[in-house]
Each structure stands twice: as C-alpha cells, then as structure tokens.
Amino acid sequence: MRKIFITGASSGIGESMARFYASQGVQLGLVARRADFLHRLADELEPRPAVYPLDVRDAAALKSAALDFTDRFGVPDVVIANAGVSRGTLTEMADDLKVFQEVFDINVMGMVNTFHAFVEPMKQQKHGTLVGISSVAGFRGIPGGGAYSASKAAAIRYCESLRVELRSEGISVVTICPGYIKTPMTAVNKFKMPFLIDVDEAVVRFARAIDAKTSFTVIPWSMGVAARVLRVVPNWLYDRVFSRMPRKPR
C-alpha cells in the first residue's frame, strides 16, 4: 500500500489532497494544528489515516510523528509539506513584526522541519519523494504581502537546494507553485484573482506532477505563463503597475 504524509491537512489544499489520496486507497499520515478539524476529517476517510495534531514549527513533535508513522506503516513514499499561512503585512506596523516571524516560521521552517523528519529514513532506503508547496507569490514581491512573498521565494530556493543535495540519494524533490486556488485562504481576497481554479481540480494536477516527479511546476499552467512573464518585466514597469494593485488585507 502506498504511504503519504501530509502537513496542513485540516482544510484547503491539504484537506483536498487527503480526500483524493484516501480515495486511491493510500495510507495517510495527516498533520494540522486544529485537532477537531483533523479528527473529523479522519473519521470520513478510509483507510483511516494516522493523525498528528501539532504545529509544524515544533520540530521535535514532527520528528515524533514521523517515527510513529514509520514504525506503524513504514517510511512514506511521499511527504508533502503543505502547511502554510498567508497574512497581509506592512513593514511600518509594529504589530506586523511578529506576523512576519510567524509567516516565515510556518512557511519556511515548517517545511524544513517536515522534511528533516524523513530525509534520513528515505536516504537509507534510497527511495522517496519530498513535495514542497510554495506559490507563484514567490516569483515577485506583492505589495502588502511582503512576508508571504518572501517566505514563498525562500521555500522555492530551499526546495531547489534540497533537490540538488539529494539527487544522488534516490530521493526526488518536487516544488509545486499554485496560482489562485479556491480555498479559505483565498476567500478573504477582495481583488480579482486571475485563472482561479477549484481546489479539487488543482489537487488532481498536483498528484500528476508528484507521480511524474516533476522538479518544478506552476498550477494552473496559465498562471505559470503569466508568472514567467512577470519575472522578466522590467522593474520600472512592474513597480508602476503593481503599486496601484489592491493590498492583501491585514
């Protein structure tokens, strides 16, 4: 039986991935901070997943969960570091300093903590796939979203470094950068979201990329084209256009 470990599994993309993989008969390990949401989801899935209510910022708790899952089911075939938060931030606001720290700790260090718990066992068996869920927001800085954009850019580069490090170990690293996906995270946005797609449709595409061990992909592809264009737009033009865009709400 295939084994997959997913963080941030209680809602949004993580929940949809859990439901998708459970429908494929996968043995899941699910992590999320909200124990009530997590247990409620587990009650609806078959085979019943192992659940670990914890914060991905807690490296020791993640290590303990990884050991428990591995002892019970074996080393997972796929580990998906999906846990993440998005907050509107302004550097001049004193209250946002702790928000910057929280966003980086969850979006970057949470991913590092997740992978740390499984890299050595995967190296020993010369097999496994690590999946980092980043965002197209990591391609360029979004006004009002400095913490989120910077954290996702860091996640992209971290996954790239890890991919090269583990290339000779039989371990694949897949980076997925979603565009706008219909989830509770995007529901708070008050601006038009181009190429918005349903979360269940997005997850099917995620699964294809994971199965193919695609090193880097943007989903949907149309957002990938737009994001790549933005990457090469000169700063003077990018600044002029995006300085007028609505800010992400704080």
Side-chain angles (χ1 to χ4, degrees), residues 162-178:
L162 193 63
R163 185 178 75 243
V164 177
E165 288 173 22
L166 298 177
R167 186 172 184 269
S168 63
E169 302 287 349
I171 302 171
S172 301
V173 178
V174 174
T175 305
I176 298 176
C177 292

Side-chain angles (χ1 to χ4, degrees), residues 39-239:
H39 286 292
R40 192 177 308 136
L41 174 62
D43 289 341
E44 299 174 9
L45 302 182
E46 186 65 38
R48 185 177 177 83
V51 295
Y52 304 99
L54 60 87
D55 192 320
V56 294
R57 291 173 288 186
D58 189 338
L62 258 173
K63 188 77 168 182
S64 178
L67 289 171
D68 178 79
F69 184 85
T70 301
D71 287 344
R72 293 168 62 187
F73 309 108
V75 179
D77 302 289
V78 179
V79 173
I80 304 174
N82 168 71
V85 293
S86 176
R87 304 278 190 271
T89 49
L90 293 174
T91 300
E92 67 269 26
M93 303 299 292
D95 288 346
D96 284 2
L97 295 178
K98 62 183 179 181
V99 180
F100 270 87
Q101 187 69 62
E102 179 185 51
V103 170
F104 271 83
D105 285 347
I106 294 173
N107 293 359
V108 182
M109 287 310 303
M111 184 178 290
V112 175
N113 292 339
T114 301
F115 291 161
H116 166 74
F118 291 103
V119 166
E120 192 56 40
M122 284 185 172
K123 286 175 72 172
Q124 290 175 9
Q125 68 176 14
K126 292 285 185 178
H127 170 73
T129 300
L130 302 173
V131 182
I133 306 298
S134 185
S135 170
V136 294
F139 285 20
R140 297 212 65 159
I142 298 174
Y148 186 68
S149 290
S151 71
K152 291 303 184 178
I156 290 170
R157 292 295 163 250
Y158 165 64
C159 286
E160 184 172 59
S161 296
L162 193 63
R163 185 178 75 243
V164 177
E165 288 173 22
L166 298 177
R167 186 172 184 269
S168 63
E169 302 287 349
I171 302 171
S172 301
V173 178
V174 174
T175 305
I176 298 176
C177 292
Y180 290 113
I181 313 294
K182 289 182 183 178
T183 66
M185 183 181 288
T186 58
V188 301
N189 292 339
K190 303 302 182 184
F191 50 85
K192 184 177 180 181
M193 293 176 281
F195 311 116
L196 181 69
I197 63 171
D198 183 75
V199 66
D200 292 334
E201 178 185 350
V203 163
V204 171
R205 301 184 193 185
F206 287 12
R208 289 181 191 145
I210 293 167
D211 288 345
K213 302 185 189 304
T214 304
S215 61
F216 185 91
T217 188
V218 177
I219 296 172
W221 68 266
S222 49
M223 178 59 84
V225 172
R228 284 173 173 82
V229 170
L230 285 177
R231 266 181 162 174
V232 298
V233 166
N235 286 348
W236 67 265
L237 180 57
Y238 181 83
D239 294 354

